Amino acid sequence: MFYTLTANPAVDMTVAGPTLIPDENVRANSASYTANGKGLDVSFALKKFGVDSVALGFFGGFTGKFIVEETMNLGCLCRPVWIDGVTRICAYINDGEHEYGVLNPGAPLTPQYEEELYNILDTSTGMDCLVVSGSVPPRASKDFLDQVMDHAQARGADVVLDLSSDKLKSLASKKPLLIKPNHHEMREIFGVPVNTDDEVRVAMKMAHDEGVQNVLLTRGSRGDAYFSNGEDIWYAKREFNIKLVSSVCAGDCTLAAFLLKWYKDRDNVEEAMKLAMATGANVAESVGLGDFGRVDEYSKRVTVRKLERK
């Protein structure tokens, strides 16, 4: 079974309205409030595909209670660590031309809360794969993510990482099964651009040399992605345009869709990339995860090719 860890969850407030004007109040046209967090999004997306998972994380206050309740209402299993403080609220504002995100830091951790999570990992049954996604809360121990990987791998679980911090590079030596950076994160973490096939080859080799087994590299609004298993590299591109409503959740659902097809069948890269690209595009056209209503249609309009070896 998949487990997901969202160490720093949030209630996402997504607002649509007119152009923002400095020092002026702007009346929104609509607003929605959703339980969110990168690992939680993976669990939610898997559930939409009919796959159960267990969502782990730290939750506090009225917002934390709301997220846990919404997670269970969506049919996902959840083993929360309850903490003092209030789980953060993050705001995303779309003025019809641009999207703005205001991400709050979150409630701080203590060693006691971390130990509670480690105990959950140590006593979890059927944990085949742990997906660790998103930011780390304030005051987390410096080795918090190292400990998470150690406890999961001690149980025989694979670990998938979707992290935007340079901590990803140091964790590579622990040989995660898969990492999923976007093009900005790949450049910032490994110090190389990924604008061309040759640059991608260099970046992928660097990641594998650090210890990463597999890499799924997404490039956001460009509508394409690369996957490398250390021997071959595949390139996928969607052959259609979308109208962006919100990019929130899109990358997380891309990862969930990829794992759905690839985790049990490592040779099924082409179908996994098609479903991943289609899912990410469909979600980007919605507030939150949407209904996945066009995933099958979009999958047929994604092309995948294998790069020539050099």
Side-chain angles (χ1 to χ4, degrees):
M1 179 179 283
F2 288 108
Y3 278 63
T4 65
L5 171 61
T6 309
N8 203 15
V11 173
D12 280 357
M13 179 180 70
T14 304
V15 177
T19 302
L20 299 179
I21 302 171
D23 304 318
E24 294 287 342
N25 291 330
V26 175
R27 294 192 178 277
N29 300 325
S30 64
S32 65
Y33 303 86
T34 56
N36 217 295
K38 293 176 70 65
L40 288 167
D41 292 340
V42 172
S43 281
F44 298 158
L46 287 172
K47 189 62 181 181
K48 282 182 174 287
F49 285 120
V51 175
D52 287 330
S53 64
V54 180
L56 309 177
F58 302 100
F59 304 90
F62 73 102
T63 45
K65 182 179 179 181
F66 169 77
I67 294 171
V68 170
E69 289 177 349
E70 285 295 293
T71 298
M72 293 189 293
N73 287 341
L74 289 170
C76 297
L77 303 173
C78 185
R79 293 189 65 182
V81 175
W82 293 105
I83 65 174
D84 292 331
V86 178
T87 295
R88 62 186 180 152
I89 299 175
C90 295
Y92 296 90
I93 303 168
N94 191 316
D95 66 3
E97 183 177 358
H98 299 288
E99 184 181 48
Y100 306 86
V102 182
L103 310 184
N104 292 316
L109 289 188
T110 66
Q112 176 187 346
Y113 300 144
E114 294 173 355
E115 288 295 333
E116 289 184 39
L117 176 68
Y118 302 151
N119 183 62
I120 290 175
L121 293 173
D122 292 341
T123 58
S124 294
T125 57
M127 183 170 59
D128 299 308
C129 180
L130 174 66
V131 181
V132 183
S133 301
S135 62
V136 174
R139 301 183 191 174
S141 300
K142 290 183 178 180
D143 66 344
F144 169 66
L145 292 176
D146 302 79
Q147 291 287 339
V148 166
M149 285 195 68
D150 290 344
H151 283 267
Q153 291 176 333
R155 300 284 293 173
D158 295 311
V159 178
V160 172
L161 300 176
D162 184 5
L163 310 171
S164 58
S165 71
D166 57 6
K167 184 67 177 176
L168 178 62
K169 190 173 182 179
S170 66
L171 292 172
S173 63
K174 294 182 178 292
K175 302 187 183 303
L177 174 67
L178 175 73
I179 64 171
K180 194 213 74 66
N182 62 33
H183 54 298
H184 300 299
E185 293 162 346
M186 197 75 173
R187 183 181 63 247
E188 292 170 4
I189 293 169
F190 292 97
V192 291
V194 285
N195 296 314
T196 67
D197 288 351
D198 284 341
E199 290 174 345
V200 168
R201 287 186 178 96
V202 172
M204 293 296 198
K205 184 178 185 305
M206 291 180 67
H208 291 304
D209 287 348
E210 293 287 343
V212 174
Q213 297 182 55
N214 300 276
V215 184
L216 177 61
L217 168 65
T218 57
R219 299 204 300 181
S221 60
R222 301 185 190 194
D224 60 7
Y226 292 85
F227 172 77
S228 172
N229 62 7
E231 296 182 1
D232 296 299
I233 300 176
W234 288 259
Y235 173 73
K237 182 174 178 59
R238 55 176 169 83
E239 304 296 340
F240 56 92
N241 296 320
I242 65 170
K243 182 178 180 181
L244 175 67
V245 173
S246 175
S247 62
V248 179
C249 307
D252 310 324
C253 295
T254 297
L255 174 59
F258 183 83
L259 289 172
L260 180 71
K261 289 287 186 180
W262 174 80
Y263 184 71
K264 297 294 186 182
D265 183 1
R266 305 294 167 82
D267 294 325
N268 196 18
V269 175
E270 183 171 334
E271 291 304 312
M273 294 193 78
K274 286 182 177 181
L275 183 64
M277 297 298 294
T279 303
N282 199 171
V283 170
E285 294 179 312
S286 311
V287 174
L289 271 67
D291 61 7
F292 285 24
R294 305 189 72 177
V295 167
D296 289 341
E297 171 196 344
Y298 283 171
S299 294
K300 299 173 184 176
R301 298 161 65 187
V302 175
T303 59
V304 181
R305 61 178 172 85
K306 188 182 290 187
L307 299 190
E308 294 182 4
R309 295 190 183 187
K310 287 191 175 182

